[in-house]
Amino acid sequence: MKRMTYFIVLAGMLLAVVSVFGQGRASHQPLQNVSILKSEPGDRLPVVSKPYNPFVKASSVEEAKIGETRYDLQTNTATQNRLWYYPDGTIGATWTMGLLDPAYADRGTGYNYFDGTSWGGIPSARIENVRTGWPSYAPYGASGEIVVSHDFAANGGLVLMKRTTKGSGTWTQSTFQGPASHTAVAWPRAITAGAAHDKIHMIYVTKSTVNGGSPYQGLEGALLYARSTDGGSTWAAKDVILPGMDANSYYGFSADGYTWAAAKGDTIAFVFADSWIDMVMMKSNDGGVNWTKTVIWEHPYPKFNGSSPIVTDTFYCPDGSTSVAFDNTGKAHVFFGVNRAHSDGTGTYWFPFVDGIAYWNEDMPAFTSPNFKYTLNPDTLYNQGKLVAWTQDVNQNDTMDFLPGSIDVLGKYYLSLSSMPNVSIDHNNDMFLVYSSATEGKDNGTQNYRHLWFRSKTAAGWSDFKDLTGTIIHNFHECVFPSIAPLSGEDHVHLIYQQDGLPGLSVRGDEDPPTDNSIIYMKVAKVQNVGLPEQNPPFGVSDVYPNPSTYSAFININVRKPGKYSLDLYSVTGEKVWQQAHSLPAGLSSVSLPVDLLATGIYVCRITDGTAHITRRVIVK
């Protein structure tokens, strides 16, 4: 596959709305060697320093705004389960919400519900009666719901909100605290299991010294497990350090570097990883009684304490943002961002221009190589077929055109250029991956924006790359923290994300003051692949416009070399319904599509030169 060199130059605007791309990948030289001091993850208060940026646009009409927040940190690394798509077509969604900056005394769980017809109003108050953050959401009981978040106060703990009817009724609030002298546990991840969703599984962390706590059983941040089989009335297991996760193996566990898969019967699993610990999957086939530890990637310094030893040579590693899901056989599939790290004895460092999302499943061996420093090198993973997502060359000019300047052109999430993966697997074992990636040509003149990108995998292989937020309405939007519903509908996948007018985070003092952030719900059609994946085609294609359309629609094709091109329209079942050939000159051409002849529905337009192709979604109303 074609490789490209990575330069920072002024972003070009031609074909800025192109939203599906081939699989050619840029090598990130020389900036992959630039590192930044990484701050300790935690429950952060904001740093306000700079004036408001005027580049803010409205949400796309194909999406729904369901919430607002000025507190803009949804997770330190991995995003937990935040929404659920129910079999009756209803949806529950949650996020961390804070509207009263700068201290955010009102911070808590923002909640909204889709009743099958419409979403509720934008909430203005949290569902808890105490300050919380970091909610997990799951179905509870026959038709209820549960939210688990943390109260970060010195005498706090986890806050459980339950009600027996989803979408309505009074929440019942209770507090779950950790072991004696370490009661204020935090950063939970919670799921439910069983036919009645009354089995609750939670993981959470004791506070480390840097976050106001102290070591627990020799761990600076112990990752603990709890299980209830009666909806949380009693706990069959509580504050358990699972086998292989004790101080004999690790120095401690960082906030948010772990995530659950949605349960598959009695099979449950979670994955944990960050830049300074093994990447491990813990799996139980008997509902959490017995566990198996699988080391996906072994860290060269698994007991690194933050200052010793000094690791002056750099090595590739997970960035801490992970996602895991089961297929129909109960096999786990894991996605994670790849980065690079080193230390100087006073802090650890992150490499903002290292890029890529890697893939592993239980049929694959652990990631190994003769030299530990290069085991997770994105180039190595790419050549092995284990790198499945990366920053796209939007304008197809063989360079990555970000703004001129330094690392400050990117928001500081301490993650890969492409990261925040979320995956859902449906009843056909088709996989749907959503992630956030710094996107060429999308900037406010000071910093580049991240957009949401999408790929699916079927029996035919991986699909093309799709910028879900690639329309012009999102030109000035930072799109981050996607959370995908673990169960997808028959025709769509469902997700929420945070939309901001400014790249980066105000609560980390990343150049931005607090501003209004929108929580956006998005429904994505499961359009089937048409033919083989793209092989870095020597042409670019815009989105169809207008889209949806009733009478006429057009598509722009940017051709490097003149030649013959075929445009084919397919139904979502793969049936070809229209074909037309064109001889196109070099440059930009506009081609019309016969939507007036088509029945209402979703179609795929396939543009090919005979050696490669690009696809576009067409909606006829």
Side-chain angles (χ1 to χ4, degrees), residues 151-157 182 184-187 205-216 219-222:
D151 172 2
F152 205 71
N155 60 347
H182 292 78
V185 290
W187 300 292
V205 178
T206 59
K207 291 183 182 178
S208 62
T209 301
V210 73
N211 281 305
S214 60
Y216 177 71
L219 289 164
E220 275 284 4

Side-chain angles (χ1 to χ4, degrees), residues 81 84 137-139 190-195 197-201 259-270 283-284 287-288 324-328 330 425 486-487:
N81 41 298
W84 191 272
Y137 178 84
I191 59 168
T192 57
H197 295 288
D198 57 352
K199 298 176 181 178
I200 302 173
H201 301 274
T259 188
W260 284 104
K264 180 72 69 174
D266 286 330
T267 301
I268 58 176
F270 65 88
K283 184 176 183 180
S284 172
V324 56
F326 293 128
D327 64 21
N328 291 340
I425 302 177
L487 300 177

Side-chain angles (χ1 to χ4, degrees), residues 25 297 316-317 336-339 355-359 364 367-368 374-388 390:
R25 176 178 163 266
W297 173 75
Y316 292 94
C317 55
F336 60 98
V338 177
N339 208 259
D355 179 41
I357 293 175
Y359 168 69
M364 298 165 61
F367 290 97
T368 58
Y374 300 103
T375 304
L376 295 182
N377 185 329
D379 292 337
T380 302
L381 297 174
Y382 179 79
N383 292 331
Q384 295 172 344
K386 298 175 182 177
L387 198 76
V388 297
W390 51 87

Side-chain angles (χ1 to χ4, degrees), residues 11 113 213 223 236 346 369:
Y113 180 73
L223 185 59
T346 61
S369 74

